[in-house]
Structures are given as structure tokens and as C-alpha cells.
Amino acid sequence: MTKTFRFILLFGMLLVANTVSAQLLQVVDNDGDGIAYASVMTQDAQFIGITDFDGYLADTKGADIITVSHVAYKMQTVDLTKLTDRRIVLEDSDFGLTEITVKPKPYVYVQTYYRTYMYDDHDGIIYYRAGITDNIYERQTHKLKTYTTHVSKSYKGIIKTVINMLFGSKIDGFSEISIYDKDEDPKTPLEQHYKNKWKKKYDIDVDITEVEPGRMCLSDSLGVIGYVTYDKELGQRHFTYDSEGWTKRRLEREGTKAEKKRREKVDAKTTNKIDVDYIIYKMDEDCNVLPEDFMMRMNYSSDDKMEKDGLHHNIFAIQVYAIDRAYVDKDELKQIRKDNKIKASYANIRQFERDHKIPEMEPAVQKKLDELWKADSGD
């Protein structure tokens, strides 16, 4: 090999390395820790990707200006041509719960706001649903009841009907504030709860390893499932979880032939499938969480699907935020539910978001939702 050829080869390798590293991006918080599952889109709401457990996105696909959003942080629009270190720092959202004082009363009341939408980068918002849920947890019996007021809108009537049938009752009837089984101690640490759950339900052994102070890794024989991080200063416990990876694991281990066949059909039609969960709880000094300590949750699912008019990227997102919470007796419960009622309309829901500092959706996505709502004669 001649010196000239070696020089050309080395130069080419360096050029490729620089090109690859130039596309790598990391999203971090104010402490410099990577933010998992931050969504990255272009200004016109074309999906680019979602960050991994450590906050990295491998490729920004040549975009110059991007929007970075996350359920727990302030959204940020960034000009990558002016970013020297390919590192984006997101600020904590103003959203937060006031402290709650434990009182010897029979009920825990938690009001939550939820927003769920389906988005297609060709057609915009296909479906949107948002509402307020009263969660009532009886401390002695561990029973939980929910009451929801919501509004919804769809791009096509049939889609609205089908999705309401499939997801509406699940959202209205499902509460985030209690994740524990009736026979489980509600003070069980979050990571131990999931370890117990997967062992009991799927007979899968999950290892819990402290990879660094305040950061626990949950893994099985096939690799990492998720991370639990806890910050005593903030009094928060975060759980990041790869739902798509877990589904594949479960099917490989104990899925039926019918389940695996259905999954193969889905996989044949879609690519680049992502399905992740992110949960935040408040916690006590012993790093435990109680049902009333739920703060927020995001489920984010997306994939690419080839349609007649080309490749479409689809997103299905659910975001849930705790708004108000209190220990109450029967009369106080009746009054607080009365005080917290809201008339179901799009305008009222949007005002509710602003009043409670609910993080905004990406500007281009929100714009398309506003246009969809205005295009319909009814609110």
C-alpha cells in the first residue's frame, strides 16, 4: 500500500467519522444528565427521532432547525447550524405539584389531566382527545374510582368512532395514580414493584443494578429493559421503560402462535417502531412512592408505514399530569369534585392547559390541531 493511498484512506475515514459525529445529538437536563425519550421534529412537524436512555439521537437527518419536546421539560426550538457541541439543554417545566400533608382521612383525591393524539406527518392530527379525571382512592380498601370529562376530535368520523371504541373506555376507566396490586405493599420501591410484577405475571427474572448513585438499571437475560432514577433533592423518582422491547421479549418467551402471527403481520407493514413509557412520581425520604404521589406519565408510540401515496410516519401519544391532590373525608370529596368541574369544550381544555402550565405540543402539531377544530362547525 503506497503512502498516497494510505493518506487518502485515512482522510476518507476521518471524513466519514466527522460526518457521523456531526449528526449525533444529545439532549440533557440542567445537571448534564441525558434525557431519555425526548422527541425531535422539524419545524413543519416531520418526525426525526426520539432520544435513547442516555439522551442521544444518532442522526438528525440533515435538519437545520428542530423542535425538541418532552413531557417533563420546556419545549425548545434549536438551530443546529449554530450549535457547536451538538448538545441541547432542556429546562425543567414550570409544571409541579405543591406538597401534600398526610392527614387521617379516608380518601385520597387526585385530579389528572390527560391528552392523547394520533398524528400522521402527511395528514396532521388524525385524532385528539383530552380531558380531566377525578381519581378517588379509598385508603382502607385500596379501591379506586375514576370520573372523566373529555372532548375529542378526529380527521375522519369513522376514525373517531373506532378509536373511541378501542381507547376511550380504557382511558376513562384507567387511573395512573395506583400501580400496585391489592396484595402488594403500596410503599414498595418502584423498581421492586416492576420486578415483582414481571416475575408474577410472566415468570421472568429481572435484575436490579445500581449503575451509579441514584440510577437503577432493570434488565433481564436479553438486556436492558429500563432505568429508575431518583433525586432526593427534587423528591422525584423517574422510570423510563422500553415497552416495544418488552413486548418482543414477552412474545419470544411465552407468546402463543396466534400472538406471534399477529405480530408478524404488524411488523411486515411497519418499520422503525418505537414504543416507550416515562413516569414520574414524588417520593418520600426512603425513596418509596405512594399512589397519591403520581406526577406525570408519557406513553409514546410511533412507526413508519408505506401507504399508497408514500411513506407515512405515525405517532400515538398519551400524556397524563396530576393537577390537584388532597386527603379528604366524604363531604370534602363531594365539594372538591364540585369545585373542580369543567365544561367540556376545546376552548376550556386549552385554557385549562395554560392555567396549569401543561407543556405545549410541538407548534406545528398544535397549529394543525387548531385548524382541525376550527374547520369543524361544532366545538
Side-chain angles (χ1 to χ4, degrees), residues 235-272:
Q236 292 183 4
R237 204 172 187 88
H238 298 211
F239 179 38
T240 53
Y241 166 42
D242 179 8
S243 306
E244 172 66 10
W246 174 252
T247 299
K248 289 182 177 179
R249 285 172 164 82
R250 186 183 66 78
L251 290 178
E252 286 177 12
R253 293 176 188 271
E254 44 81 37
T256 65
K257 287 184 178 179
E259 284 181 317
K260 291 179 179 178
K261 208 166 186 179
R262 283 196 296 269
R263 181 58 193 240
E264 287 174 359
K265 287 183 179 179
V266 172
D267 289 344
K269 296 178 181 179
T270 61
T271 58
N272 301 320

Side-chain angles (χ1 to χ4, degrees), residues 281-339:
Y281 278 86
K282 280 187 171 287
M283 65 184 185
D284 62 21
E285 292 181 355
D286 297 321
C287 297
N288 298 318
V289 294
L290 296 170
E292 55 265 38
D293 290 334
F294 168 78
M295 288 186 68
M296 62 182 73
R297 176 171 188 164
M298 172 183 72
N299 173 257
Y300 191 96
S301 178
S302 70
D303 58 58
D304 290 312
K305 186 176 181 180
M306 183 58 71
E307 304 284 0
K308 292 180 180 179
D309 56 347
L311 189 67
H312 287 223
H313 186 83
N314 306 288
I315 293 171
F316 175 61
I318 300 176
Q319 300 168 351
V320 186
Y321 300 85
I323 301 301
D324 189 17
R325 57 192 184 140
Y327 294 95
V328 294
D329 58 28
K330 197 168 185 178
D331 291 335
E332 290 170 328
L333 176 60
K334 186 177 180 180
Q335 186 61 46
I336 200 171
R337 287 196 61 208
K338 182 179 179 181
D339 293 341

Side-chain angles (χ1 to χ4, degrees), residues 98-246:
T98 56
E99 292 300 318
I100 179 173
T101 303
V102 179
K103 295 180 180 179
K105 295 188 177 182
Y107 300 100
V108 175
Y109 170 83
V110 180
Q111 186 182 53
T112 54
Y113 166 84
Y114 78 85
R115 174 172 63 202
T116 179
Y117 63 92
M118 293 184 71
Y119 176 80
D120 180 303
D121 61 6
H122 281 225
D123 297 324
I125 291 284
I126 297 176
Y127 176 79
Y128 165 86
R129 182 184 179 97
I132 314 299
T133 301
D134 287 339
N135 303 271
I136 301 163
Y137 181 76
E138 192 171 349
R139 299 170 74 183
Q140 185 174 359
T141 63
H142 303 295
K143 289 182 179 179
L144 179 66
K145 294 181 180 179
T146 62
Y147 304 90
T148 297
T149 301
H150 73 267
V151 295
S152 62
K153 188 70 66 174
S154 66
Y155 179 65
K156 297 177 181 177
I158 186 65
I159 293 177
K160 176 180 177 179
T161 303
V162 171
I163 294 178
N164 267 310
M165 289 171 57
L166 294 177
F167 299 111
S169 61
K170 291 183 179 180
I171 294 171
D172 285 355
F174 180 73
S175 174
E176 304 286 348
I177 73 168
S178 181
I179 61 172
Y180 299 109
D181 297 329
K182 290 182 180 179
D183 58 349
E184 187 177 16
D185 183 352
K187 283 195 172 184
T188 303
L190 198 61
E191 61 271 17
Q192 187 63 42
H193 158 73
Y194 281 98
K195 178 183 174 72
N196 297 343
K197 175 183 176 181
W198 291 327
K199 179 63 178 178
K200 181 179 179 180
K201 193 169 183 180
Y202 305 114
D203 195 28
I204 294 175
D205 292 314
V206 174
D207 294 322
I208 302 174
T209 308
E210 187 174 34
V211 292
E212 59 184 88
R215 184 173 168 88
M216 312 292 290
C217 176
L218 279 67
S219 62
D220 63 1
S221 59
L222 299 178
V224 175
I225 298 171
Y227 288 91
V228 173
T229 59
Y230 49 93
D231 187 323
K232 287 190 176 183
E233 185 177 342
L234 288 177
Q236 292 183 4
R237 204 172 187 88
H238 298 211
F239 179 38
T240 53
Y241 166 42
D242 179 8
S243 306
E244 172 66 10
W246 174 252

